[in-house]
Amino acid sequence: MIPDKVPQEDVYHAPQDLVKGAHVPNFEKYKELYLKSIQSPEEFWGDIAKDFFWKTKHTGKFLDYNFDVTKGNIYIQCMEGATTNICYNALDWNIHQRNLGDKVAFYWEGNEPGDELKVTYRELLHQVCKFANVLKSVGVRKGDRVSIYMPMVVELVVAMLACARIGAVHSIVFAGFSAESLFERIMDSQCSLLITADGFYRGDKLISLKLIADDALQRCRDKGVPVEKCIMLKHLSKEQPDSPAASPSPPAKRPCPDLQETPKDKVRKIRPKAQVPWNPEVDLCWHTLVDGASEECEPEWCASEDPLFILYTSGSTGKPKGVLHTVSGYMLYAATTFKLVFDYQPDDVYWCTADIGWITGHSYITYGPLTNGATSVLFEGLPTYPDMSRMWEIVDKYQVTKFYTAPTAIRLLMKYGSAPVQKFRRDSLKVLGTVGEPINPEAWQWYYSVVGEKKCPVVDTFWQTETGGHVLTPLPAATPMKPGSATFPFFGVVPAILNESGEELEGPSEGYLVFKQPWPGIMRTVYGNHQRFEATYFQKFPGYYVTGDGCRRDQDGYFWITGRIDDMLNVSGHLLSTAEVESALVEHPAVSEAAVVGRPHPVKGESLYCFVTLIDGVAYSTTLETELKQQVREKIGAIATPDYMQNAPGLPKTRSGKIMRRVLRKIARNERDLGDVSTLADSSVIDQLFNNRCPTAV
Ligand code: WTA
């Protein structure tokens, strides 16, 4: 599985000063620990678990599971009998056991340079306890689901930890999603409470979050399933005067009071305010509630397999799946991957640029760093705002040592050359990381040479919402790196490559990436639909968890992710299902059918190329195209906006009516060699499709 020897030439090694004192200092040590993690998981994870607080210790096997659908229901159970609380471990335990009360947990850096805050572990604990008491006061109980739809502010972390503290299950919805997407997620997880904010700025753009949240809540009411309460944080300060574009103030019945007292040290530019509709029947003000709440809140002791959170990810049927993670296994896995993959050291300042609305933010902004007692940067803004140097300015400002971002951000910044990077010193950096999609070797080289000055290993971390944490990844001091390869499995993870018939391939090979056994952080079910969990991940190859990604293993045993092999697209590191975008298009009255495929994009990785068939008598026009793009934005969110669109009076189908996406992908790329098209029902559509290609897709 793990090669005895790894190449020493044509690979990249960590500098000696990183190797000294590293948790896993060389490949031999990695191999030794890896073997232990597979052969004696009880001992391996048992040692790790000693650093955590357990109210009661586990009694059963460390991991108990069935991974084979032919033998019964799929289940994964970790540390049966143990009780703990992840919020207690992240805060109280660090404060009391490790004396980290005065350590900074987060440096918050707002969208505007100069807009900043810092919060220590003790302050965070107080805020979390207060808000946990607020949650209880509005009737939230253990096991209840709470939707969170917030910008990247400290209060988002407070809200999630407060849920975890009382055993409520958070379901965070990325603040870039539309009202329809939020509505769908609230309905699916049957949330009784929504937590949101008035709004926020992304660069120059105002997002009136409460307005969108209200739209979603109205949709829930229309379905006869009203959400009982909505707590709104006032994030945009009240000092800003109303601009003509802003809406009138909310009705005065029970307005959210002014925010004189918090946050004191924010400096904001004068900008239009968010529109803040207010429904006194439902809406509650975060600040009013928190003001009167106690700073003490006894944690709810949760069983290992109690649910911790739900996070939705795209599903190939178009309906998002509520990936469910549970308490103990997720905690151990997020904490351990964070510690070892970034070689976390107590004096580190760590920065992950992801949004907490995605799994990367859950595991590597909130839970992983906090359970390690780390200091992190929490950034609200954009890498390109106010200019292309923003990231490096922040790195210098906080002396960031470990930096984690996405290939799409690297490619975007690469376009502007090295000058914006070199305006700043970046000499604090020690480890660089990437996540979200395969990184092309050119971007890897730029990141390594220009950003890291050839001094920082680049950890290319492959994982998924479902895996909870990194599963294939280098360890910075131990693994010789090859640009573009996620290298080898993390501890406890056993990958395999299968061919179409489900046979395991040995040596250099390419096929389906699967995992043969669970690790503590793997998802446990799809919320409310265990059958879908089994069907999606376990049916195709019984006995294996199927990632949906293609993978190649080279002659040295390195793993290279080749991209999705299902109907999923990866746009700027975000997974989208083609079915989801297609159904948004088809909902337009002019559209009878739609097919969406990916087309390579220099910055986003993949872009969306949409073929639409109109109903008889409707003419294709640019106005219609704009309407359709708008429709997708409204249904899903800006991340799903189609890049290219074309009229497709006919689609290439097999005789049984299945759309041949393989052919459409070629047309989107303007590649004339279509391969075998003998199964096409009507080959005349091909010329027509080539003739109608979107002119901007050169
Ligand atoms: C892709 C994000 C190649 C992959 C953490 C996976 C990657 C999907 C990498 C999960 C990587 C993520 N190299 N591909 N280092 N990291 N992916 O659920 O296709 O948003 O299945 O989780 O992103 O996306 P998700």
Side-chain angles (χ1 to χ4, degrees), residues 195-210:
I195 306 170
T196 189
D198 48 359
F200 64 103
Y201 275 92
R202 255 180 92 68
D204 278 325
K205 196 164 166 232
L206 171 66
I207 317 283
S208 287
L209 210 55
K210 177 65 163 55

Side-chain angles (χ1 to χ4, degrees), residues 313-346:
T313 187
S314 294
S316 54
T317 60
K319 187 174 154 33
K321 303 178 288 252
V323 169
L324 186 107
H325 284 285
T326 54
V327 174
S328 297
Y330 175 82
M331 175 169 81
L332 288 185
Y333 203 70
T336 310
T337 46
F338 174 77
K339 178 174 169 181
L340 302 183
V341 173
F342 298 109
D343 191 44
Y344 169 68
Q345 303 291 340

Side-chain angles (χ1 to χ4, degrees), residues 313 358-360 434-439 460-466 472 486 547-549 561 563-564 570 573-575:
T313 187
W358 308 108
I359 189 67
T360 305
T434 74
V435 57
E437 56 180 307
I439 182 164
D460 175 357
T461 62
F462 167 83
W463 59 296
Q464 307 178 302
T465 304
E466 294 86 338
L472 297 181
T547 59
D549 283 293
I561 303 296
R564 299 294 305 187
N570 194 324
H574 303 314
L575 277 192

Side-chain angles (χ1 to χ4, degrees), residues 174 314 358 406-409 411 435-438 564 567-578 581 596-610 637-644:
F174 171 57
S314 294
W358 308 108
T408 185
R411 288 192 299 262
V435 57
E437 56 180 307
R564 299 294 305 187
D567 290 338
M568 222 70 90
L569 296 178
N570 194 324
V571 179
S572 301
H574 303 314
L575 277 192
L576 289 170
S577 85
T578 52
V581 182
V596 176
V597 295
R599 183 185 135 94
H601 187 279
V603 173
K604 301 205 274 186
E606 279 189 291
S607 55
L608 292 170
Y609 194 113
C610 308
I639 48 167
T641 311
D643 299 273
Y644 308 103

Side-chain angles (χ1 to χ4, degrees), residues 248-271:
S249 300
K253 253 190 174 171
R254 213 164 112 210
C256 193
D258 291 345
L259 258 187
Q260 301 288 20
E261 60 291 12
T262 52
K264 286 194 194 83
D265 45 349
K266 289 189 180 182
V267 192
R268 292 180 196 282
K269 284 191 184 162
I270 303 223
R271 284 246 173 117

